[in-house]
Amino acid sequence: MSELLLLLKKDFSIESRTKEVLVLILTMSLLLGTITAVGINSAFLSPGNLNLMFPTFLWLVFIFSSTLSISKSFEYEFRNDAIYGLLLSGTSSTKVYLSKLIANVVLSLIGQLVTFFVLVILANFTIPSILCELIIISALVALGFSAVSTILIPMSQTSKLKSMLLPLLLLPLLFPILFAGLELSAALFDSGKIDWGSSWISILLAFDVIYVALGVNLFEHVILD
Amino acid sequence: MEKFLFRNKVFEAILFILTFLSVLYANYLIFLVVPNERVMGPVQRIFYFHVGCAIATYFSVAILLMSALGHFSNKHFLWDILGKVAGEVALVFCLIVMITGMIWGHSAWNTWFRWEPRLVTFLILLLILLGLNLLRSFGDKDKIPNQAAVFSILAAINVPLVVFSVKILPKAAQLHPQVVQDRGLKDPSFVHAMIVSMIAMILLQFLLTWVAGKIELKKIERELNLT
Amino acid sequence: MTIVENYFFELRNLTKNFGLTKVLNKIFLSFIEGDRVLIVGPNGSGKSTLIKILLGLLSKSSGEIMLEGKEVNRPPLFESSFLGHNSLLYAPLSVLENLKLLLRLRDGSEELNLILEEWSLLTQKNKLISELSKGNEWRAALAVVLNRTASFLYLDEPTTSLDQSGRELFLGNFNKIALNKKLTVIATHDVRGLAETINRVVVLKHGQVSKDIRGNFKEAQLSSLYLEACS
């Protein structure tokens, strides 16, 4: 446990010093959110239609901005082969995966919330006070997103296409949680609360559990040849 | 396993004969035996290939998963070859499902694409398989066996999640004529043709995987002999 | 007469392919405790690959690896300390932070200060690795690898980026530390100063072991073995 905390400290130290992933996520969210808002305003959507379409804009902008930014989270692991130094120091690949997972979840969650506020402000979207529930759904989606991306980032970094391969591998696997995010947030904006018995919650939880379990077991094979 | 896979000539011959005969029989049934469907007419016949190829795609994905698990159990290079060709065959069959589905859909509903379970599932599967094949094309050559095996496992586990989540999407979007489930097939020859074409496509998928694997193996053996 | 040695670590018929290229071809190597091995050979002979397989960073293509009598797929990484062509340090972290993380040392501990002092890194301790000169980065890297408590030590060209004083520092530490390891393997083109520690020389050519000599060596012997291997 203390080893995991040590690794988390390392990841957060690096991120707080370089701020690369955070800056990318914030800028991408702002940029893509602005482009989307321009599209919304040009379409002159009525408030009713805007409310219906808001979840779509929210999740699309999040998925694209996060996918483009998150590969930076492994930048310094591969520079100087530092990740091998870490594994040689006695850390298991499982703990490395978990610490990267947690760091990526936090960064993705920040990205989601920024996207939300950018769109709310720029598109004049009126929302009921559902921030707490939205954060819960966002956290579950962020967990699934990070579980898959943490395994795929090392793969794309070593390829010829570098970080451009990541979206091609990551996005096709995210549809179940994209659907769940869309349906749950649409229901949330509609009714103001989460239906915990909904099948979408089950899908979200199942996806998260399955892919974290897979990640923990398969990460070693992605890092070591 | 290594003596058998892509090398056993007896199995290959039997597979070839069975595939040839079943495909021939399926075509005979589809084009010469089953009557025209009442509503759609002759275009409906593409349905048999569509469903057959869909089942064959699932079999291919299962082989993909098997090759990934085999790779992690003993790292023999034949598992990697199997994974490579299964990924290619799955992509081809998935494309056929999409194209036949769109042709059939256009005849039935006059639109090229409808958001109904099977087409959406296969569209997502197509993107996943494209990603896998891109990984094999652009990945680091030494790392591909491991990475492709990991991605194959992630992808194979994704399929049931996609199938389930597409099923529970809002019903308003769904318009797939549930020929088999809801109304049932009136003429018993429909059922017979469907089953035969499914078997034919599955066998074809196995045969293509085997032949492609053999070609890959010969390529590698020839280049190893030259160096 | 066969001398039965207590081999705790063996490679049997080991081959490593990268794609279609055979980098290591049917290698047989057996190690006893206390082996301090120098690997020499021309560029491209497979030295780095062999070391990476021994330490568990790279998987074999075929053959067997026996550790303590049991066959393993790859030796466990935590048993080894290694330094190769990269420093294995986190660029955005300072020397101090890297040492604390990779050696599991506490802030202000005596051991930490001793290490920093020994490697002349006290003034550099708060500098980020990315801000250091190559020589200082390498001192930090060596400080980490030579202070690990792992039982196996693997070094691949450890002195390339060091100046004269750095080399002397390395040799002084290396000679001390190698004596306490179960197995030490060093691959290098610079054999000066290693004679007092090395007790075995393995010559690698075209991915195969062409010579394997145990014994005490003089500096001149090591040099001539090296020159012969690389000719």
Side-chain angles (χ1 to χ4, degrees):
Chain A
M1 189 57 186
S2 63
E3 205 167 61
L4 189 58
L5 288 171
L6 208 62
L7 294 175
L8 280 170
K9 185 168 167 230
K10 177 257 297 175
D11 286 317
F12 283 108
S13 299
I14 292 179
E15 186 50 39
S16 63
R17 214 165 276 170
T18 61
K19 301 183 187 56
E20 282 173 11
V21 187
L22 196 59
V23 165
L24 263 177
I25 280 192
L26 294 178
T27 319
M28 280 290 180
S29 301
L30 183 59
L31 187 57
L32 291 170
T34 307
I35 294 174
T36 310
V38 165
I40 294 172
N41 285 318
S42 310
F44 297 109
L45 285 177
S46 65
N49 284 335
L50 179 58
N51 284 8
L52 279 175
M53 301 219 46
F54 191 78
T56 308
F57 299 132
L58 180 64
W59 293 108
L60 282 183
V61 171
F62 159 67
I63 291 235
F64 278 109
S65 62
S66 301
T67 305
L68 293 172
S69 324
I70 205 78
S71 54
K72 274 284 168 206
S73 65
F74 270 80
E75 172 79 29
Y76 296 104
E77 301 295 336
F78 291 112
R79 200 177 288 190
N80 299 335
D81 282 345
I83 194 169
Y84 298 121
L86 192 58
L87 291 172
L88 284 162
S89 78
T91 314
S92 68
S93 54
T94 303
K95 293 209 185 88
V96 177
Y97 174 79
L98 286 173
S99 86
K100 275 275 174 264
L101 175 68
I102 294 171
N104 284 344
V105 169
V106 171
L107 289 165
S108 315
L109 201 47
I110 294 175
Q112 283 177 342
L113 292 174
V114 168
T115 305
F116 178 68
F117 284 114
V118 165
L119 285 175
V120 161
I121 293 168
L122 292 180
N124 282 320
F125 179 64
T126 45
I127 32 141
S129 54
I130 39 74
L131 199 58
C132 271
E133 287 87 346
L134 186 64
I135 291 178
I136 295 174
I137 299 176
S138 302
L140 289 174
V141 174
L143 182 57
F145 175 85
S146 304
V148 185
S149 58
T150 305
I151 274 242
L152 295 180
I153 295 169
M155 275 197 229
S156 69
Q157 293 289 55
T158 52
S159 75
K160 288 184 200 133
L161 294 176
K162 297 275 178 265
S163 48
M164 285 291 46
L165 186 61
L166 182 65
L168 305 174
L169 298 178
L170 177 60
L171 296 177
L173 295 176
L174 294 180
F175 283 97
I177 55 173
L178 176 62
F179 290 149
L182 282 166
E183 295 295 321
L184 285 171
S185 52
L188 180 61
F189 294 144
D190 233 359
S191 66
K193 49 185 161 74
I194 300 177
D195 172 16
W196 291 103
S198 145
S199 311
W200 292 112
I201 294 280
S202 316
I203 288 186
L204 206 43
L205 288 171
F207 189 98
D208 289 350
V209 167
I210 290 171
Y211 278 96
V212 170
L214 283 176
V216 159
N217 284 297
L218 296 175
F219 190 66
E220 187 190 3
H221 299 287
V222 169
I223 297 295
L224 297 176
D225 286 344
Chain B
M1 196 278 298
E2 44 218 75
K3 296 255 163 60
F4 169 78
L5 197 57
F6 307 131
R7 293 197 223 259
N8 190 314
K9 295 222 184 321
V10 174
F11 179 80
E12 188 180 320
I14 296 175
L15 182 60
F16 181 78
I17 292 169
L18 282 177
T19 307
F20 185 74
L21 290 175
S22 60
V23 170
L24 211 59
Y25 185 43
N27 276 290
Y28 163 70
L29 284 177
I30 292 167
F31 288 109
L32 296 174
V33 173
V34 298
N36 270 345
E37 204 256 351
R38 242 182 324 131
V39 179
M40 284 187 58
V43 173
Q44 184 269 342
R45 290 165 206 270
I46 206 172
F47 168 79
Y48 299 103
F49 295 106
H50 174 77
V51 174
C53 287
I55 307 286
T57 311
Y58 284 135
F59 267 83
S60 256
V61 172
I63 294 178
L64 203 56
L65 179 61
M66 196 182 80
S67 76
L69 296 173
H71 170 80
F72 286 127
S73 75
N74 75 2
K75 296 263 162 106
H76 197 279
F77 71 96
L78 278 176
W79 291 118
D80 184 46
I81 295 179
L82 183 60
K84 177 173 190 221
V85 298
E88 290 168 354
V89 170
L91 181 60
V92 168
F93 275 88
C94 192
L95 266 168
I96 295 175
V97 171
M98 291 303 296
I99 294 171
T100 53
M102 292 200 297
I103 294 173
W104 183 35
H106 191 254
S107 307
W109 317 304
N110 216 31
T111 48
W112 287 111
F113 195 81
R114 281 280 190 181
W115 285 90
E116 53 80 29
R118 181 146 52 234
L119 276 184
V120 174
T121 306
F122 275 83
L123 179 59
I124 294 173
L125 190 52
L126 181 68
L127 295 171
I128 293 176
L129 291 168
L130 266 173
L132 175 62
N133 282 287
L134 281 169
L135 176 63
R136 282 199 177 271
S137 306
F138 291 106
D140 181 340
K141 276 207 171 61
D142 307 318
K143 299 189 158 69
I144 284 175
N146 266 354
Q147 292 180 346
V150 168
F151 191 76
S152 302
I153 294 177
L154 297 180
I157 305 266
N158 203 272
V159 173
L161 285 168
V162 169
V163 169
F164 184 60
S165 44
V166 168
K167 241 193 214 141
I168 62 174
L169 276 174
K171 289 278 181 244
Q174 293 181 17
L175 233 146
H176 201 145
Q178 299 292 321
V179 180
V180 181
Q181 283 101 351
D182 295 353
R183 294 191 322 239
L185 295 170
K186 293 274 158 62
D187 196 319
S189 66
F190 281 139
V191 180
H192 183 57
M194 174 110 102
I195 294 177
V196 171
S197 73
M198 275 197 231
I199 294 174
M201 290 298 112
I202 292 169
L203 285 172
L204 183 61
Q205 174 265 124
F206 278 123
L207 182 67
L208 286 174
T209 309
W210 185 275
V211 170
K214 232 177 118 176
I215 294 173
E216 279 299 316
L217 187 59
K218 286 255 186 299
K219 249 198 261 178
I220 290 178
E221 283 174 346
R222 183 177 307 152
E223 288 180 31
L224 274 176
N225 285 332
L226 283 177
T227 54
Chain C
M1 185 179 83
T2 1
I3 302 166
V4 178
E5 308 249 29
N6 197 4
Y7 298 127
F8 77 101
F9 190 16
E10 292 182 77
L11 299 180
R12 293 181 188 166
N13 210 11
L14 188 107
T15 301
K16 177 67 183 172
N17 302 317
F18 282 114
L20 296 165
T21 325
K22 245 191 195 32
V23 175
L24 294 176
N25 195 3
K26 300 199 175 52
I27 302 252
F28 283 87
L29 272 178
S30 308
F31 300 99
I32 55 176
E33 276 194 37
D35 262 352
R36 298 182 293 278
V37 188
L38 168 68
I39 301 185
V40 287
N43 286 329
S45 53
K47 302 191 296 295
S48 300
T49 308
L50 178 60
I51 286 188
K52 285 193 178 148
I53 291 183
L54 285 172
L55 89 104
L57 209 53
L58 210 55
S59 64
K60 58 180 164 67
S61 300
S62 68
E64 288 169 355
I65 301 178
M66 310 292 291
L67 196 57
E68 310 282 3
K70 292 200 210 91
E71 188 178 348
V72 291
N73 233 346
R74 60 165 105 217
L77 275 176
F78 62 81
E79 291 265 21
S80 312
S81 45
F82 164 73
L83 188 59
H85 304 290
N86 287 316
S87 66
L88 307 183
L89 299 172
Y90 281 96
L93 295 180
S94 69
V95 173
L96 191 64
E97 286 168 332
N98 270 289
L99 285 175
K100 274 162 50 184
L101 173 68
L102 299 172
L103 294 174
R104 306 281 195 273
L105 293 173
R106 289 194 179 289
D107 232 334
S109 72
E110 209 180 299
E111 206 180 330
L112 198 53
N113 285 323
L114 275 171
I115 295 172
L116 288 167
E117 213 175 322
E118 169 129 44
W119 289 89
S120 310
L121 291 169
L122 270 173
T123 48
Q124 314 285 327
K125 70 176 183 182
N126 288 318
K127 271 200 176 163
L128 305 183
I129 298 294
S130 52
E131 295 169 346
L132 292 178
S133 67
K134 193 76 181 165
N136 279 330
E137 182 182 343
W138 220 252
R139 283 176 186 239
L142 283 166
V144 169
V145 75
L146 291 177
N147 282 294
R148 285 237 170 89
T149 52
S151 21
F152 303 166
L153 175 62
Y154 297 101
L155 298 166
D156 189 1
E157 306 291 352
T159 55
T160 326
S161 306
L162 292 177
D163 58 11
Q164 182 62 17
S165 64
R167 274 199 75 251
E168 283 166 17
L169 199 48
F170 162 72
L171 285 170
N173 273 287
F174 173 67
N175 293 331
K176 247 192 307 175
I177 283 161
L179 292 169
N180 292 322
K181 298 285 181 189
K182 254 184 174 172
L183 174 66
T184 305
V185 177
I186 176 169
T188 182
H189 287 293
D190 183 2
V191 300
R192 294 172 292 164
L194 295 174
E196 64 180 272
T197 317
I198 296 300
N199 62 12
R200 184 174 173 188
V201 177
V202 169
V203 177
L204 216 56
K205 271 194 180 171
H206 305 301
Q208 289 184 303
V209 176
S210 82
K211 267 201 183 128
D212 186 353
I213 312 166
R214 275 218 176 88
N216 294 317
F217 298 91
K218 294 215 170 56
E219 182 123 347
Q221 283 171 293
L222 283 185
S223 300
S224 70
L225 273 168
Y226 165 73
L227 287 169
E228 196 191 316
C230 296
S231 62

